[in-house]
Amino acid sequence: MADEDDDIILSELDDDELVQQMQDDLYDGMKEEVEEGVNILLERGWAPYDVLTTALVGGMTVVGRDFRDGILFVPEVLLAAGAMKGGMAILKPLLAETGAPRMGKMVIGTVKGDIHDIGQNLVTMMMEGAGFEVLNIGINRSVDDYIAAIKEFDADILGMSALLTTTMPYMKVVIDQLKADGLRDDYVVLVGGAPLNEEFGRAIGADAYCRDAAVAVETAKEFMARKHNQVAG
């Protein structure tokens, strides 16, 4: 099978075949092939937003589903996300020029006292793969860091991560400060991390607990669809 794949010349495929091949290449983490496919579609007159949603987001949706179902694991998802990033690097400036619609904007970081970031890096990549703009503010972040970032970035969603039981309660500190500042209703707050569960998410006043990156993407999409419907209504 590998020998057959080596013979595939992307430029000779029609649009439908090329999109399918790009999604397969994305799934396999083949960054150069994904970048080549993006450039071919753009040369054929595809709008940057259509390349993003049809080829790249379509491919990452499959990656996300298989990750959620235990078919793919973190190393493979990181490879796919890296390939996605390669395609996105070509499309980002073009999307900015055309003012393409976006899914939403998210600020994400690991809470104060916690220096674990693999999970939230994965969420960042998967969210970008789904068409969100993401500002990842890193590890060991204070309430002031979060609030400054969501204001400056004009975020729709705030994501907080914790991997230690000792740092979990800090999430409530951030949410309580949002309430005190009268900002809580302006943002969707998603929380995640190995020691958390739905009950904890509810108890601290988060909008949702997301057990992994794939669930985070699905949850964010649902909240943004609801928000857009309210605006339209």
Side-chain angles (χ1 to χ4, degrees):
M1 187 68 200
D3 292 341
E4 285 177 39
D5 284 347
D6 289 343
D7 296 332
I8 291 172
I9 298 169
L10 295 180
S11 58
E12 292 180 359
L13 301 176
D14 67 31
D15 285 8
D16 288 345
E17 291 170 332
L18 179 56
V19 166
Q20 185 57 58
Q21 185 59 45
M22 285 172 68
Q23 292 182 354
D24 290 348
D25 289 342
L26 184 66
Y27 191 94
D28 294 335
M30 298 167 75
K31 186 177 175 211
E32 286 177 15
E33 287 81 351
V34 170
E35 290 170 345
E36 185 187 345
V38 166
N39 283 321
I40 292 168
L41 288 178
L42 290 171
E43 282 163 19
R44 291 182 184 177
W46 277 53
Y49 184 71
D50 293 336
V51 179
L52 170 66
T53 52
T54 305
L56 300 187
V57 175
M60 278 307 275
T61 301
V62 179
V63 172
R65 192 175 63 225
D66 283 2
F67 176 56
R68 182 195 64 207
D69 294 343
I71 298 165
L72 287 181
F73 299 97
V74 169
E76 294 137 319
V77 174
L78 289 174
L79 270 177
M84 170 84 195
K85 241 181 177 168
M88 280 296 292
I90 299 165
L91 293 174
K92 252 183 183 167
L94 302 173
L95 290 165
E97 279 172 31
T98 54
R102 56 179 176 77
M103 289 296 298
K105 297 176 91 169
M106 179 186 201
V107 165
I108 189 169
T110 306
V111 295
K112 192 174 181 182
D114 206 317
I115 57 169
H116 296 88
D117 64 357
I118 289 177
Q120 54 116 327
N121 284 338
L122 201 54
V123 172
T124 298
M125 291 183 188
M126 295 280 284
M127 291 289 287
E128 287 180 339
F132 284 84
E133 290 178 59
V134 184
L135 173 64
N136 188 326
I137 59 173
I139 57 174
N140 192 23
R141 287 302 176 179
S142 70
V143 60
D144 293 339
D145 294 331
Y146 281 112
I147 290 176
I150 56 178
K151 285 180 177 174
E152 194 177 324
F153 196 55
D154 190 25
D156 303 294
I157 300 167
L158 169 61
M160 289 187 283
S161 171
L163 207 79
L164 304 172
T165 51
T166 50
T167 58
M168 284 165 54
Y170 196 80
M171 292 177 167
K172 187 173 187 303
V173 173
V174 177
I175 292 171
D176 286 349
Q177 190 60 52
L178 284 174
K179 288 177 184 168
D181 292 348
L183 298 171
R184 178 62 189 88
D185 293 341
D186 297 343
Y187 305 99
V188 173
V189 179
L190 306 181
V191 296
L196 280 67
N197 56 34
E198 275 185 46
E199 194 181 346
F200 176 78
R202 272 196 303 272
I204 62 169
D207 288 295
Y209 151 75
C210 306
R211 74 172 186 272
D212 61 36
V215 172
V217 170
E218 287 170 17
T219 307
K221 280 182 175 176
E222 284 167 18
F223 274 106
M224 291 314 298
R226 225 174 291 170
K227 184 174 179 176
H228 292 319
N229 287 340
Q230 284 169 357
V231 172

